[in-house]
Amino acid sequence: MNAADPEGQLAELALDIARAAARLIRERRETGVTVAATKSSETDVVTETDREVEELIRSLLAEARPDDGIVGEEGRDEPGASGVRWIVDPIDGTVNFLYDIPQYAVSVAAERNGVVVAGVVLHVARDTAYVGRRETRPDGTTTVTAHRDGTPLSVRSPAPLSQRLIGTGFSYEARIRAIQAAAVSRLLPEVRDIRRFGSCALDLCHVAEGLLDGYVEEGVNLWDHAAGALIAEGAGAHCELAPGAGGQQLLLCAPAHGFDEFREAVEDAGFLANSGE
């Protein structure tokens, strides 16, 4: 590792750890998956593999950087003393993993003093690595880069709203799902189509690589989007967190060149709190 490139070190470590986690996930997928518990509802499942993978990630991070903090979806929030905190989702897309639908990922991000500076989303089934880095130039300004298996990423070129393919996700709570369904029904006639793949982290990467023109979901958590949003930003997208119509946090992401129009359409459709007021 290059000591003169601290954010590069964090990104390299995140990638190494994500690869180790992905190997364990593939092994467990071959031997069978069992539900360990549920969280917010009976459909919000946790597998034994989720827990096992997060423990592996935590142990590897503690060994490499014992003074850093860690927060993960399945475990405790551990404070650190270095100014660096790791944000971990061992399997983003757990229901897909449970059903053996090949759309789930390991997400590992590092923030320094509250700002995400490195992030990796590893598509487990495809062994594809998306990596984002926030770099500081000598003049003090920052830039974000994003790569897929070493190849620079770029969002899709401008397109009319009617020709944009939009990704979304749904809450595990029935009340919020009803609100989201109504909003989707209003947005659908305004865009090319809507897709629901089941992994927020991967959907953000799909915006980064131009497979989606936008993404909106209420009910996201920090570990869902910390790495993916950095990667999307590095590819030319803009991400925003806002209050959702169901009372939870809403994430919007789209290419910067078309973000304002996308946000307006999302608001008109009723995704945002106070939409239409």
Side-chain angles (χ1 to χ4, degrees):
M1 294 186 182
N2 184 358
D5 181 15
E7 316 313 352
Q9 291 182 38
L10 295 175
E12 184 178 340
L13 177 60
L15 180 57
D16 289 343
I17 288 176
R19 291 198 186 283
R23 287 193 293 270
L24 179 57
I25 293 169
R26 293 188 197 101
E27 292 173 5
R28 296 298 182 261
R29 181 60 260 177
E30 291 178 0
T31 58
V33 180
T34 57
V35 174
T38 58
K39 294 187 287 187
S40 62
S41 74
E42 291 184 356
T43 58
D44 186 6
V45 299
V46 179
T47 70
E48 291 290 351
T49 306
D50 285 272
R51 294 174 173 176
E52 188 177 4
V53 172
E54 182 161 322
E55 283 305 311
L56 171 65
I57 293 172
R58 286 174 178 270
S59 66
L60 292 173
L61 285 172
E63 180 181 354
R65 296 183 58 92
D67 294 329
D68 292 354
I70 305 174
V71 58
E73 180 175 14
E74 310 304 339
R76 58 206 173 278
D77 187 350
E78 298 179 359
S82 67
V84 172
R85 183 175 71 156
W86 294 88
I87 305 161
V88 175
D89 193 340
I91 305 178
D92 185 58
T94 296
V95 173
N96 286 347
F97 174 65
L98 178 65
Y99 279 77
D100 202 15
I101 298 171
Q103 184 78 359
Y104 47 91
V106 179
S107 178
V108 181
E111 62 177 19
R112 188 186 299 278
N113 299 322
V115 177
V116 177
V117 295
V120 170
V121 175
L122 199 146
H123 191 312
V124 177
R126 294 183 177 177
D127 196 24
T128 299
Y130 302 88
V131 181
R133 289 172 54 190
R134 190 180 306 275
E135 304 170 13
T136 302
R137 299 188 181 103
D139 63 1
T141 61
T142 61
T143 183
V144 181
T145 60
H147 294 79
R148 180 190 60 224
D149 292 336
T151 300
L153 293 175
S154 181
V155 296
R156 187 168 176 252
S157 57
L161 184 66
S162 62
Q163 296 179 23
R164 298 185 201 176
L165 184 65
I166 306 302
T168 193
F170 297 105
S171 170
Y172 290 109
E173 297 183 28
R175 177 186 64 84
I176 298 177
R177 289 168 76 90
I179 295 171
Q180 292 169 320
V184 165
S185 72
R186 289 187 287 267
L187 180 63
L188 184 57
E190 308 301 321
V191 298
R192 182 188 294 275
D193 211 340
I194 293 177
R195 296 287 183 268
R196 195 272 202 263
F197 295 128
S199 167
C200 174
L202 284 176
D203 283 339
L204 292 170
C205 293
H206 294 335
V207 173
E209 61 190 336
L211 297 184
L212 290 173
D213 297 290
Y215 182 74
V216 56
E217 180 177 0
E218 181 174 356
V220 297
N221 295 291
L222 179 61
W223 46 77
D224 297 317
H225 61 78
L230 180 69
I231 293 162
E233 180 184 350
H238 178 69
C239 296
E240 178 185 338
L241 292 169
Q248 296 185 347
Q249 193 171 65
L250 180 82
L251 171 65
L252 304 91
C253 181
H257 53 64
F259 182 84
D260 290 344
E261 186 179 11
F262 174 65
R263 191 189 193 282
E264 183 178 355
V266 164
E267 184 173 13
D268 289 345
F271 283 94
L272 287 159
N274 303 320
S275 291
E277 292 187 6

